[in-house]
């Protein structure tokens, strides 16, 4: 596979979402990714419903651009085999708890003995240091811990989760970014690199106002529903035909365009964000009435002509049918090896002038590449058979 990461080999020792997403992203940009999975069961994400031919439908995205090798990390001889894999690897991605890595003898200090300039990206719930280092955790735990859940929902209701476990996505992307940083540093210095990322940390970093506002006011931002504490108007508004529209006037210029599109010049008196926040109820109500008087299609034309930022609240069906999404390759069709049909999946994000990312091959069957990868390490067929007989692979 071509791409800026061509020639980089990644060993994926992670499960479920954040770690596998990171390695998948690296694969989309040319890296060779070898995923180690538990014999017989594989990554737990393979079993998340809905299932297609016995495998999670989402696995076609989570597992793509990888080879699958089965190794039982609990077996006492597994560490030596992982070490042989690490010796040929540039980057190891893992998300086991720190104590688990030590128990399996596949921590950074273990694997760097096999590859002196190894890069390891270790995602764990709370990071490798601090009093919570060995606590387990998943995305929803990280979202709550980072404060995102505290500020999600309506003021008169309980905290709620976001519609998708965003900690896995945000941290997966950040982990792929960390891998490229660590590779760059490795190439500059020749020294091994360890990137230690707590699952909650990228989320906390993402909410740029949360801690800064607390430091300035002594108060924590709470639940505001669809309102933005710093911007008005910024909400979801219902159209005459029952659709929902996101309409954030995040700058003075955008507000002036919106006032022009609405044809209500008296609103121009609120020509500062401070004034609009002070008169939020009036302004949000006026915008809501403007939207409610029009169907989505005609409203889109009005806002487009005025250069106002807006967007419909899309379902998956809306996204798959959208001509812009298709034109950008944001959704692509991939072959389904089990049925012979194709299925829609998300494409790669972004477009680049000097290279292309690609969905190189679909998600592998469990253990599909075990023999080929181990043969590539120099193991004879008889030695591989012996490993299988002893339950190592």
């Amino acid at each position: 596979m071509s791409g800026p990461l061509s020639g980089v080999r990644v060993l994926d020792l992670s499960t479920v979402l954040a770690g596998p997403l990171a390695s998948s992203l690296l694969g989309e940009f040319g890296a060779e990714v070898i995923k180690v999975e538990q014999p017989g069961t594989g990554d737990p994400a393979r079993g998340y419903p809905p299932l297609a031919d016995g495998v999670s439908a989402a696995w076609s995205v989570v597992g793509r651009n990888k080879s699958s090798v089965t190794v039982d990390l609990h077996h006492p001889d597994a560490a030596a085999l992982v070490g042989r894999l690490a010796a040929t690897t540039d980057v190891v991605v893992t998300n086991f708890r720190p104590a688990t890595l030590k128990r399996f003898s596949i921590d950074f200090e273990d694997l760097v003995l096999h590859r002196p300039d190894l890069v390891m990206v270790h995602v764990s719930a709370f990071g490798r240091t601090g009093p919570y280092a060995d606590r387990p955790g998943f995305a929803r735990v990280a979202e709550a811990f980072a404060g995102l859940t505290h500020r999600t929902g309506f003021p008169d209701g309980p905290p709620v989760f976001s519609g998708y476990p965003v900690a896995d996505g945000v941290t997966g992307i950040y982990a792929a970014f960390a891998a490229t940083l660590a590779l760059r540093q490795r190439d500059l210095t020749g020294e091994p690199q360890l990137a230690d990322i707590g699952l909650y940390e990228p989320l906390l970093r993402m909410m740029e106002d949360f801690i800064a506002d607390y430091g300035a006011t002594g108060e924590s931002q709470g639940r505001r529903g669809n309102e933005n504490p710093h911007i008005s108007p910024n909400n979801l508004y219902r159209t005459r035909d029952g659709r929902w529209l996101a309409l954030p006037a995040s700058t003075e210029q955008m507000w002036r365009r919106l006032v022009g599109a609405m044809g209500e010049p008296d609103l121009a008196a609120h020509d500062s964000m401070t004034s609009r926040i002070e008169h939020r109820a009036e302004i949000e109500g006026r915008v809501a009435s403007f939207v409610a008087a029009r169907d989505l299609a005609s409203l889109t034309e009005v806002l487009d002509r005025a250069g106002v930022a807006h967007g419909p609240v899309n379902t998956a069906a809306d996204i798959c049918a959208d001509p812009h999404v298709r034109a950008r390759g944001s959704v692509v069709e991939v072959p389904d090896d089990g049925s012979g049909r194709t299925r829609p999946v998300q494409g790669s994000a972004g477009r680049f002038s000097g290279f292309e990312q690609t969905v190189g091959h679909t998600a592998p069957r469990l253990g599909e590449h075990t023999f080929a990868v181990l043969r590539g390490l120099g193991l004879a067929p008889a030695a591989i058979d012996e490993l299988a007989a002893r339950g190592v692979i």
Side-chain angles (χ1 to χ4, degrees), residues 242-278:
R243 294 293 301 274
W244 289 93
L245 185 79
L247 190 57
S250 300
T251 64
E252 300 305 322
Q253 182 183 54
M254 199 59 65
W255 166 246
R256 293 164 191 155
R257 291 177 183 176
L258 178 58
V259 169
M262 292 173 65
E264 301 183 32
D266 63 298
L267 287 175
H270 302 296
D271 202 32
S272 72
M273 196 64 75
T274 300
S275 176
R276 293 196 293 279
I277 290 173
E278 289 175 353

Side-chain angles (χ1 to χ4, degrees), residues 29-320:
F29 291 92
E32 176 193 2
V33 182
I34 298 172
K35 180 173 180 59
V36 171
E37 299 187 71
Q38 180 68 19
T41 57
D43 192 311
R46 286 181 179 268
Y48 289 172
L51 303 181
D53 300 314
V55 179
S56 173
W59 185 250
S60 59
V61 179
V62 177
R64 69 190 186 193
N65 285 359
K66 302 177 185 181
S67 301
S68 175
V69 173
T70 53
V71 179
D72 184 358
L73 297 177
H74 303 83
H75 195 286
D77 294 333
L81 185 57
V82 172
R84 293 190 66 160
L85 287 166
T88 67
T89 294
D90 297 285
V91 180
V92 171
V93 177
T94 186
N95 61 356
F96 290 108
R97 278 188 276 173
T100 302
L101 288 179
K102 293 184 183 301
R103 187 171 74 252
F104 289 162
S105 297
I106 56 170
D107 203 358
F108 179 66
E109 293 78 8
D110 302 301
L111 297 184
V112 79
L113 298 176
H114 299 271
R115 174 78 187 241
D117 62 349
L118 183 72
V119 168
M120 176 180 276
V121 178
H122 185 191
V123 176
S124 59
F126 295 96
R128 294 170 64 96
T129 61
Y132 306 156
D134 277 315
R135 282 187 183 178
F138 294 101
R140 297 308 196 185
V141 174
E143 290 160 21
F145 188 79
L148 178 64
T149 309
H150 167 74
R151 59 188 297 185
T152 305
F154 286 87
D156 57 351
V160 297
F161 290 139
S162 56
Y164 178 83
V166 294
D168 280 326
V170 171
T171 305
I173 295 168
Y174 194 91
F177 167 62
T180 60
L181 293 178
L183 278 171
R184 171 67 170 163
Q185 184 70 3
R186 189 275 307 269
D187 291 345
L188 288 172
T189 66
E191 298 175 351
Q193 303 294 323
L194 172 63
D196 168 18
I197 303 169
L199 189 61
Y200 74 93
E201 290 177 313
L203 273 182
L204 184 59
R205 172 62 181 86
M206 177 186 73
M207 296 186 291
E208 72 286 341
D209 62 339
F210 195 44
I211 303 303
D213 285 7
Y214 171 74
T217 67
E219 298 179 359
S220 287
Q221 287 289 347
R223 293 180 286 286
R224 301 291 297 265
N226 293 321
E227 293 180 352
N228 185 304
H230 307 288
I231 300 169
S232 180
N234 186 315
N235 217 313
L236 296 177
Y237 305 96
R238 195 166 193 174
T239 64
R240 184 169 58 190
D241 54 349
R243 294 293 301 274
W244 289 93
L245 185 79
L247 190 57
S250 300
T251 64
E252 300 305 322
Q253 182 183 54
M254 199 59 65
W255 166 246
R256 293 164 191 155
R257 291 177 183 176
L258 178 58
V259 169
M262 292 173 65
E264 301 183 32
D266 63 298
L267 287 175
H270 302 296
D271 202 32
S272 72
M273 196 64 75
T274 300
S275 176
R276 293 196 293 279
I277 290 173
E278 289 175 353
H279 297 86
R280 184 190 297 273
E282 175 196 353
I283 289 171
E284 299 279 355
R286 297 273 292 274
V287 175
S289 296
F290 165 71
V291 172
R294 294 162 175 81
D295 291 343
L296 179 64
S298 61
L299 180 62
T300 296
E301 292 179 1
V302 170
L303 297 176
D304 280 348
R305 284 198 301 269
V308 175
H310 65 94
V313 176
N314 281 332
T315 66
D318 295 328
I319 292 170
C320 289

